[in-house]
Amino acid sequence: MDIGNRLYRAEQVQALDRQAIEGHGIAGYELMQRAGRAAFRALRARWPETGALTVCCGGGNNGGDGYVIARLALEAGMAVQLIALKDPGELAGDAATAAADWRNAGGSLADPEQPLSGEVIVDALLGTGLDRAPAGAYARLIERINASGKKVLAVDVPSGLDADTGMPLKPAVRADVTTTFIGNKRGLYTGQAGHWCGQRLYFDLATPAAIHADIDADARLLAVADLRGWLPPRRPDTHKGDLGHVLVIGGDAGMAGAPVLAGQAALRTGSGLVSLATRAEHVGLAPSVQPELMAHGVETLDALDALIERADALALGPGLGQGEWSRSLWQRALIGDQPRVVDADALNLLAADDGPIACPGAVLTPHPGEAARLLEVSAAKVQSDRFAAARALAERFSAVVVLKGHGTLIAEPGGAVAVCPYGNPAMASAGMGDALTGIIASLLGQGCKPFDAACCGVLAHALAGDAAASGRRQIVAGDLIDRLADILPA
Ligand SMILES: NC(=O)C1=CN([C@@H]2O[C@H](COP(=O)(O)OP(=O)(O)OC[C@H]3O[C@@H](n4cnc5c(N)ncnc54)[C@H](O)[C@@H]3O)[C@@H](O)[C@H]2O)[C@H](O)CC1
Ligand SMILES: [K+]
C-alpha cells in the first residue's frame, strides 16, 4: 500500500516524526526544511505567477515550517510579508533555527495590523499541536485570512482543524491547498475536511518507510488501484449462474423506484440475476424500465421465503417503508445465511427495535442521521468523530458499517477502517443510496467478503459519481449507474 494511503491520528504522526529523528538520525530541522521546501514547491506549482506571499507563523514547529517557506520565497526574489504571533526571539528548537535562518536571509517582521498584502497566504499558525479552539490573536488572524479572498496554502493541517476528526475548532482556516507531511492525517479526509483543506497533497519528506513499521495506521485511504483486486476474476466460461443472484427487498407505496435503482446498479456491477421483492402494484415498473430485472409482488411471507431461498445476497431496505408490510418483510430478511446489505428504512426499523440485533455477515449503510438513531445519539455527535461512530456501530451490530457522507468510512468489527476520498456534492440527491446498496449487494453475491464488498462498492460508487458529475451541479442516480461500466475494470 502506498505510504500516503496510510492514515494516522496526530499523536501517531508525532511518533513517526520521533522515529525519523531518533530512530533514523534525520535531524528535526532537516525534516522541517524538507517540509518547507515541499510546501514552497507545491505553492509555486499551483500559483506559478505569484510574486508576493503573506506567511502567518504560529509559535511552534508549524510556524517553523512557515519561516522555512518565507526564507525560500525571499531567496527566490519574492516579496514576503511575515506575520508572527510569537516573537521569533522567543521561539524554541527547530522553529528558532528556522526563524534565525529567515532573519539571516533578510527577513523582517511585518506589522500584524497591516492588510494582508500577499497574493497567496501561507497558513503556518497551527498544525498537529492544536489542542484548543483558536482564540485571541490566532482567531483574529484566521478570520482575516478567511475574509481576505486570497488563495491560501495550509501547512500540514489548516489551522483550527482537528487532524483526527476533520472537525473545525472554529475558527479554522479555509485553504485551497493543504500540504501535509510524513504521516497522512485521517482527519483530512472525512466529514467537513474537504471544505477546510481544499486539495490535499501528501509528502513523505523522503523519510524511510521503516518509520511506519512499528506504528499501525489508524485507517487507510481507498485508491483507484484497489478496485481490480476486489473484483472476482471473469473466466471465458463464466456464466450468469456464477455471478450471484441478488434479491432486492423494498418499494412500499410511493417508493416504487428505489428497489429498481438498486436492481439496476446490481446488474451494472455484474450480478448474473437480479430479482425484486416489492409491492404487487409495483411489479410492472421494473421490467418496463429495465427488462433484465425480475420483479415479484410479495404480499405473503411464504412468497418472500421462496425468493430468499434462491438468492445469494440480499439488498434489504430501498424504499422499504416502516409499516406492517415493511416490518414483516424486514423481520424475515434481516437475519439469515446469505450476506446482505441493510439500508434506509431497514436501518430505521433496526434502530426502532428495542436493543441492538447482531447482524453478522451484513453490511449496514447508514447516513449520519440513520447512524445517530442506531447509536441513540445526535447526528452532530456522529459527525463530531465519524471514525469513532463507524467503529462503534460495527461493534454494536457485529457488522461491516458504511458511514456515508463526505469522506465515506467503512468499518469492520475489530477496528479496520477505510476512507473514500472520492465523490462530490452533485451526488446529493435521492436514489444515490439505493444505487450504493445495489452495488454492494452485487459484490456480496459475486462472493466478495463483506468488508471488501463495502470498500469496493463505495469506491466504485464514488468514482462513477465523479465521472457522471464532471463539473455539473447536480446528477441523478441513473447518471451514476450508467457510468459504473466505465469504472469497473473488465
Ligand atoms: N516534529 C517534526 O519533526 C516536524 C514537525 N513539523 C511541523 O510541526 C508541527 C507540529 O508542531 P508543534 O510545535 O508540535 O505544534 P504546532 O506548531 O501545531 O502548535 C504549536 C503550539 O501551539 C499551542 N497551541 C495549540 N492550540 C493552540 C491554539 N488554539 N491557539 C494557540 N496556541 C495553540 C500548543 O502549545 C502547540 O504546541 C506539524 O504540524 C508540522 O507542521 C514538520 O512539518 C515536519 C517535522
Ligand atoms: K497550519
Side-chain angles (χ1 to χ4, degrees), residues 56 62-63 65 122-128 153-161 173 178-179:
C56 301
N62 195 248
D65 294 350
V122 174
D123 158 28
L125 293 172
L126 295 162
T128 53
L153 180 138
V155 176
D156 207 30
V157 187
S159 296
L161 189 74
V173 166
T178 294
T179 53

